[in-house]
Amino acid sequence: MSYFEEVTQKARELAATAAEKAREAADSAKISAAIISEKRELDKNYRAIGQWYACENTGEVPEAIADVIAAVRASQEKIAELQTRREAAESEEAAAQTEGKVCPVCGKISDSKFCPHCGAPMGE
């Protein structure tokens, strides 16, 4: 066998080895992606179970999770309080918008000389 044939043969072997390693790496990446996907699905199901449990068990709960359930209840109460405050603020804002002049350009209501929304003069 000549020198060039040997070099060609070695190059083919190296190319075949590289191709095999690339296939193995791609397979490994696909498996890793599948594992990540399944872990996300598992986390989603755990959250659903926890949410169901917290909603269904309004009475006594096992001591091991009593702190977690108490934190859930506190968060629910805080959300309800914040929603009430937001609704009150929106009502106040709507009431304030009924006072003033209507902007001839954008239609917003303001009691200033220039519209705070578009900058147009409010007129007399």
Side-chain angles (χ1 to χ4, degrees):
M1 183 183 286
S2 75
Y3 174 75
F4 292 111
E5 291 173 338
E6 284 182 41
V7 170
T8 303
Q9 180 64 28
K10 286 285 186 189
R12 286 184 185 139
E13 289 172 5
L14 285 173
T17 302
E20 179 62 29
K21 290 194 184 264
R23 277 191 294 277
E24 289 173 3
D27 289 345
S28 178
K30 287 178 186 177
I31 292 169
S32 293
I35 289 169
I36 289 169
S37 177
E38 282 303 314
K39 283 183 177 181
R40 285 185 187 139
E41 189 67 23
L42 182 61
D43 288 342
K44 184 177 93 176
N45 290 328
Y46 279 147
R47 281 191 308 273
I49 290 169
Q51 184 177 9
W52 171 83
Y53 186 85
C55 290
E56 290 294 315
N57 292 298
T58 56
E60 284 192 36
V61 293
E63 187 177 321
I65 62 166
D67 291 343
V68 175
I69 295 296
V72 166
R73 301 280 184 259
S75 291
Q76 290 170 334
E77 290 171 6
K78 183 71 174 179
I79 289 169
E81 175 190 328
L82 291 170
Q83 287 174 333
T84 302
R85 286 175 47 194
R86 181 182 62 192
E87 290 169 3
E90 288 172 351
S91 295
E92 288 175 13
E93 184 180 314
Q97 286 183 355
T98 59
E99 301 169 0
K101 300 176 236 168
V102 177
C103 175
V105 176
C106 70
K108 299 287 183 175
I109 299 173
S110 176
D111 58 354
S112 62
K113 287 184 141 190
F114 295 92
C115 178
H117 300 283
C118 70
M122 295 297 283
E124 295 299 323

